[in-house]
Amino acid sequence: MITKCLQCLKPENLCVCASLSRLETQLHVLILQHPQEPNEPLSSARLAHLALPQSTLKIGLSWPNLQKALGRETQSSKWAVLYLGSGIQGGSPNTPHPVEFVSKRGTPVPAPEALEGIVILDGTWSQAKALWWRNAWLLKLKRMILQPAQPSLYRELRKEPRKECLSTIESIAETLVALGEPVETGEKLKSLFSSLLEKKRKKKK
């Protein structure tokens, strides 16, 4: 029987809780996790949640609205979701900004003046798409497209369907920094994920 850490819920030989830092943010991060993802040893959503006091992690397939998913009252107009669309339509693909806000058609729009939080869909590509289509209220949120400068740290450990795909914790890190949170916050989130991957690589040797 595999012994798991009671905090991160990972096998003890993959636990990186000793590296956890409490990272305060202005933006709240709502992570919607597909039910099949928590059991993946390299899943990063819970690590992000443990590191970010201003975060909420919900496991499931659908929720009636943003308020139910978040667990409190809020306004949809003050939230943005990391969009799973096919990229920016009609705009420069070489925009220097890592996060671009887009319309429902995928065309660039000005960034909102203020956001309360962001929504991240956690799972494989197909699982994330299932979450998108099962939660129609996501259409009411602002849409963001992430354009990472570097490929995922996963490398050979987990094949991504697109070169621009990142792990959940990497996506959160880059999005938060792009929206004005401290660079150190993003670096510490990525470092935490890197520690997990390093333990996995050593286990494979």
Side-chain angles (χ1 to χ4, degrees):
M1 182 176 179
I2 299 176
T3 303
K4 292 188 176 182
C5 170
L6 296 178
Q7 180 169 247
C8 68
L9 305 182
K10 294 192 180 299
E12 287 189 345
N13 59 0
L14 291 181
C15 173
V16 292
C17 288
S19 301
L20 276 171
S21 299
R22 185 181 176 88
L23 305 172
E24 297 288 349
T25 57
Q26 295 296 314
L27 290 168
H28 194 96
V29 180
L30 171 60
I31 307 169
L32 303 182
Q33 186 175 54
H34 191 281
Q36 294 179 1
E37 187 65 12
N39 293 326
E40 290 295 324
L42 295 181
S43 174
S44 61
R46 185 168 179 83
L47 290 179
H49 173 55
L50 291 172
L52 298 170
Q54 292 297 319
S55 69
T56 301
L57 174 62
K58 290 294 181 70
I59 303 172
L61 289 174
S62 63
W63 297 264
N65 50 49
L66 172 61
Q67 289 75 14
K68 290 293 185 181
L70 186 61
R72 60 176 171 82
E73 291 298 315
T74 189
Q75 296 179 9
S76 297
S77 61
K78 295 183 179 180
W79 285 75
V81 59
L82 205 57
Y83 182 47
L84 303 175
S86 56
I88 299 171
Q89 307 299 313
S92 171
N94 299 315
T95 175
H97 201 269
V99 167
E100 185 79 48
F101 286 86
V102 297
S103 68
K104 291 183 178 181
R105 294 185 177 182
T107 56
V109 297
E113 292 186 2
L115 286 175
E116 180 183 330
I118 59 175
V119 178
I120 307 291
L121 307 180
D122 178 61
T124 64
W125 188 251
S126 61
Q127 290 168 356
K129 286 195 292 185
L131 288 169
W132 176 267
W133 292 114
R134 282 174 175 265
N135 293 277
W137 52 269
L138 290 171
L139 299 176
K140 297 180 180 180
L141 312 186
K142 310 294 184 185
R143 297 185 185 189
M144 303 178 293
I145 290 180
L146 180 62
Q147 302 176 105
Q150 302 293 331
S152 174
L153 295 173
Y154 270 133
R155 300 206 310 268
E156 82 289 354
L157 293 178
R158 188 167 180 174
K159 186 177 181 180
E160 297 290 357
R162 298 181 182 181
K163 63 180 181 180
E164 68 269 23
C165 288
L166 302 178
S167 67
T168 293
I169 197 169
E170 289 173 295
S171 297
I172 292 171
E174 295 216 5
T175 302
L176 287 177
V177 172
L179 295 179
E181 299 288 353
V183 172
E184 183 183 17
T185 296
E187 291 176 344
K188 287 188 174 181
L189 288 173
K190 289 182 180 181
S191 177
L192 182 64
F193 184 53
S194 181
S195 298
L196 170 66
L197 298 181
E198 184 61 26
K199 288 202 169 193
K200 180 65 174 178
R201 290 187 174 101
K202 288 181 178 179
K203 183 181 176 183
K204 291 182 68 175
K205 291 182 179 179

